[in-house]
Amino acid sequence: MKISVYHTPESTPDNDIPDCAIVIDVLRATTTINTALNNGVKSVKAFSDVDLLLAESSLLPRDSYLTLGERGGKKVDRCDFGNSPLDCTRETVANKQLFITTTNGTRALQRVKEASTLITGAIINYSAVVNYVKTAQPETVWLLGSGWEGGYSLEDTVCAGAIASGLVDLSDTESIGNDEVVASIALYHQWKDNLLGLFRLSSHGQRLLKLNLDDDLKYCSEPNIISTFGIQTEKGVLTLHTT
Ligand code: MLT
């Protein structure tokens, strides 16, 4: 296995696709997606465009789906919810289909939708992701951060480091796909005992704090509180993978 870390979809090599793509948007899209699926959502479909999301979801019976929309950390008015994992309680989401659009996470999902395996990683479930990849042994693995509008995000790269540290043997240079892998592991080891402190320092964490969303940061920083994750079962559609 060769593991590569990319901080943003924009930094991935053109015309290349990995065997296994792990999409990471810790604050908050993949934390929200993993939480919703773990709480009984039937499927999650991601859209980069709000109008397309609303047009497709409106074809379904109104009580069968929910729409989640975020731009700049704030709720999109025409959607049922913003992008807080705390809104995705079992009582609210069980047995529904979820349609989601966010500033960056949905773009990362679309960048790697052609991968034969696409799963959603976050701090809340990274051990389940590591165990799955260790068993599957894909040739090439991308740990893909979502970043913020093309820029680096601490929270996504520290999560990439958490996953990489479970997969990469630094004495085996064949497993290291790029320098970002080593850097992400170092970031993880520096902050693994204070992830909330790192999230509160991060630029997107600061953006969410200004929106009084510290409870979201707390939840998103809790390691391995669930042992499931989302897996793409048809292009653009994620369903629950239980380990
Ligand atoms: C993103 O897509 O950048 C994030 O999910 C934004 C957020 O939920 O605050």
Side-chain angles (χ1 to χ4, degrees):
M1 273 197 305
K2 188 171 285 290
I3 316 288
S4 300
V5 167
Y6 296 102
H7 301 310
T8 65
E10 292 77 8
S11 62
T12 56
D14 295 338
N15 309 316
D16 192 5
I17 203 78
D19 297 319
C20 174
I22 299 166
V23 175
I24 301 166
D25 185 350
V26 172
L27 297 177
R28 301 165 286 179
T30 57
T31 302
T32 295
I33 289 167
N34 288 318
T35 300
L37 287 167
N38 195 63
N39 284 340
V41 149
K42 283 182 177 173
S43 65
V44 178
K45 188 163 186 176
F47 292 76
S48 52
D49 180 274
V50 179
D51 293 328
L52 291 177
L53 179 152
L54 295 172
E56 180 164 332
S57 56
S58 64
L59 301 175
L60 296 171
R62 188 60 188 95
D63 62 354
S64 69
Y65 70 89
L66 290 169
T67 58
L68 276 66
E70 168 276 333
R71 289 292 183 273
K74 296 177 184 168
K75 177 182 175 297
V76 170
D77 287 345
R78 294 178 289 165
C79 291
D80 297 318
F81 293 103
N83 187 29
S84 172
L86 302 181
D87 288 332
C88 297
T89 60
R90 183 167 290 276
E91 295 73 26
T92 303
V93 304
N95 301 314
K96 296 196 186 287
Q97 294 184 63
L98 221 53
F99 294 82
I100 186 169
T101 181
T102 70
T103 309
N104 304 281
T106 44
R107 198 171 67 249
L109 286 165
Q110 288 177 349
R111 169 63 186 84
V112 287
K113 68 181 179 187
E114 299 302 327
S116 48
T117 302
L118 186 166
I119 60 183
T120 47
I123 289 296
I124 62 168
N125 70 344
Y126 73 80
S127 289
V129 171
V130 168
N131 293 336
Y132 174 85
V133 175
K134 272 184 172 173
T135 304
Q137 287 291 313
E139 277 294 308
T140 55
V141 181
W142 287 4
L143 307 181
L144 176 58
S146 301
W148 186 268
E149 296 178 347
Y152 174 94
S153 78
L154 281 166
E155 68 275 11
D156 292 349
T157 296
V158 79
C159 183
I163 296 167
S165 63
L167 296 174
V168 172
D169 171 359
L170 291 177
S171 64
D172 170 15
T173 53
E174 284 306 304
S175 66
I176 300 171
N178 60 9
D179 290 1
E180 290 88 331
V181 174
V182 181
S184 69
I185 291 170
L187 180 70
Y188 170 65
H189 284 298
Q190 175 72 25
W191 286 95
K192 60 185 170 57
D193 299 324
N194 184 18
L195 290 168
L196 179 55
L198 181 67
F199 291 4
R200 285 171 172 163
L201 273 181
S202 71
S203 55
H204 191 45
Q206 285 289 311
R207 188 175 292 113
L208 294 177
L209 285 174
K210 290 185 177 79
L211 297 170
N212 297 316
L213 294 172
D214 192 43
D215 286 346
D216 281 31
L217 299 191
K218 290 173 183 170
Y219 176 82
C220 293
S221 69
E222 293 181 42
N224 300 313
I225 54 174
I226 65 174
S227 58
T228 62
F229 50 81
I231 191 162
Q232 183 175 258
T233 43
E234 63 177 271
K235 295 285 183 282
V237 179
L238 298 160
T239 56
L240 180 70
H241 180 88
T242 57
T243 48

